[in-house]
Amino acid sequence: MLSNKLGISDSTELAREEEKISKKKAIELFESGLLDELEPGTWESLQKIHKFLFEDIYDFAGKMREVNIAKGNFRFASVMYLEPALENIEKMPQTSFDEIVEKYVEMNVAHPFREGNGRSIRIWLDLIFKKKINKVVDWSAVDKEEYLQAMERSPINDIEIKYILKNALTSEIDNSEVYMKGIDHSYYYEGYYTYKTEDLQ
Ligand SMILES: Nc1ncnc2c1ncn2[C@@H]1O[C@H](COP(=O)(O)OP(=O)(O)O)[C@@H](O)[C@H]1O
Ligand SMILES: [Mg+2]
């Protein structure tokens, strides 16, 4: 289990507290207007989002991970290539729906943080959508299983995730309920942790 600032040593309790605190912080990020001030699509913005959400919980909040991690059968970007990957992802275009999803898929493949990538990258994605095409994802219209399958498939083929997100786009860009659904951890929780690859050997 991950060491944390809360002094919690039980992983179920940590998951529960982590979800509670990060949700509170996510609402604060949205309602304070701080999120709107961030530049869409940069690594720095993603760092700020992650830091804001998790700074009371983890020392690694906002910091690039230093270990290799995997979920299911997929290993995310090797630490060896992570920094150049983030520089290149930041430069990816973000003017159309397709370009934005392609950028999102690459950022997910990077998975730059030790934990909390799903939630922070979805907020980062919505910020790009909001600023560039004046729409956001209504995550309540996204089926969890279908979303996770599409994300698992996305490094090979992004057709499914594009289809799912396109159908869930809404013009309600300032609706906090629409926004919060995207970071409902239990909703998107896959039932297993992100593993350090060395733990799998
Ligand atoms: N096998 C997989 N391949 C690629 N991406 C995945 C896979 N499984 C989950 N994901 C993506 O990673 C996210 C979970 O990453 P994680 O770092 O645990 O974030 P969080 O703690 O916020 O859920 C999921 O929401 C999904 O977007
Ligand atoms: Mg997780």
Side-chain angles (χ1 to χ4, degrees):
M1 88 163 261
L2 291 168
S3 68
N4 58 84
K5 294 183 175 180
L6 307 170
I8 295 173
S9 54
D10 174 73
S11 62
T12 314
E13 196 193 340
L14 176 62
R16 199 171 47 226
E17 281 304 305
E18 191 226 59
E19 176 173 3
K20 213 169 78 189
I21 295 169
S22 61
K23 267 187 180 167
K24 229 173 92 187
K25 296 288 291 194
I27 299 173
E28 196 184 324
L29 181 63
F30 187 84
E31 293 187 339
S32 64
L34 283 170
L35 185 58
D36 270 332
E37 284 167 21
L38 298 179
E39 194 185 333
T42 67
W43 161 232
E44 195 186 354
S45 295
L46 180 59
Q47 284 183 291
K48 285 182 179 163
I49 293 167
H50 190 273
K51 184 167 193 291
F52 198 92
L53 258 48
F54 298 107
E55 65 190 345
D56 299 333
I57 309 166
Y58 300 123
D59 284 330
F60 60 73
K63 294 189 184 135
M64 196 177 80
R65 66 182 155 82
E66 287 164 357
V67 294
N68 288 322
I69 55 172
K71 246 185 214 297
N73 292 319
F74 189 67
R75 192 183 83 164
F76 298 105
S78 165
V79 165
M80 210 170 16
Y81 308 122
L82 195 48
E83 216 172 291
L86 292 166
E87 282 169 24
N88 287 320
I89 294 166
E90 179 167 302
K91 289 185 208 138
M92 287 178 75
Q94 47 182 15
T95 51
S96 66
F97 171 83
D98 278 3
E99 284 177 353
I100 295 167
V101 179
E102 283 156 25
K103 194 164 181 169
Y104 172 62
V105 165
E106 291 305 324
M107 190 54 95
N108 182 64
V109 168
H111 242 60
F113 308 108
R114 180 66 189 83
E115 181 57 69
N117 293 281
R119 286 163 284 178
S120 51
I121 303 174
R122 282 192 293 275
I123 293 177
W124 180 81
L125 168 69
D126 267 333
L127 181 69
I128 308 175
F129 274 146
K130 184 174 178 176
K131 302 262 176 164
K132 298 294 177 179
I133 61 169
N134 220 24
K135 292 215 157 71
V136 290
V137 179
D138 176 0
W139 294 98
S140 68
V142 174
D143 179 82
K144 173 202 166 188
E145 288 301 324
E146 284 176 15
Y147 164 79
L148 280 173
Q149 277 175 23
M151 288 310 287
E152 282 172 19
R153 178 91 177 127
S154 67
I156 313 292
N157 190 324
D158 62 18
I159 286 187
E160 291 156 39
I161 191 63
K162 278 180 177 160
Y163 179 82
I164 288 171
L165 296 179
K166 187 146 222 165
N167 281 310
L169 285 181
T170 170
S171 303
E172 286 196 70
I173 56 171
D174 293 315
N175 183 328
S176 64
E177 273 172 49
V178 166
Y179 158 84
M180 281 305 289
K181 262 287 172 191
I183 40 167
D184 203 332
H185 186 232
S186 48
Y187 192 71
Y188 289 95
Y189 180 56
E190 328 68 64
Y192 51 84
Y193 291 96
T194 312
Y195 292 102
K196 258 166 89 173
T197 52
E198 60 206 59
D199 293 341
L200 296 172
Q201 278 142 24

